[in-house]
Amino acid sequence: MPIYEYVCLDCQERFELLRPIRDADAPITCRKCESEHTSRMLSLFFASSGGRVVAGSGPSCSGCAGGSCATCGH
Ligand SMILES: [Zn+2]
């Protein structure tokens, strides 16, 4: 199930939600001000799959012993 990001047009609150694709554009209520003036943004799922978020996000890789590691840079 893909993650969708929504923005509230009234209070600018942004929030993410796991939803079935068929419900991606279903109405959703802002969790902050309960306004129904929300809009779906581009999916975070696709935005974060470009490699920038994944690489180096963990404290160490499986080949790391705490010293320098050519795989993850730690
Ligand atoms: Zn709101």
Side-chain angles (χ1 to χ4, degrees):
M1 209 156 30
I3 296 177
Y4 296 102
E5 185 174 12
Y6 299 84
V7 59
C8 174
L9 302 179
D10 286 346
C11 72
Q12 314 304 315
E13 173 78 356
R14 293 185 183 186
F15 46 97
E16 299 152 20
L17 211 61
L18 276 171
R19 304 185 99 183
I21 293 177
R22 68 176 185 275
D23 288 341
D25 290 315
I28 184 172
T29 303
C30 173
R31 65 182 180 185
K32 187 177 179 183
C33 71
E34 300 185 345
S35 166
E36 291 182 355
H37 298 150
T38 53
S39 172
R40 184 166 63 90
M41 302 177 70
L42 288 178
S43 170
L44 281 180
F45 178 81
F46 295 109
S48 61
S49 63
R52 188 167 57 89
V53 177
V54 178
S57 60
S60 64
C61 71
S62 58
C64 252
S68 60
C69 173
T71 304
C72 70
H74 285 100

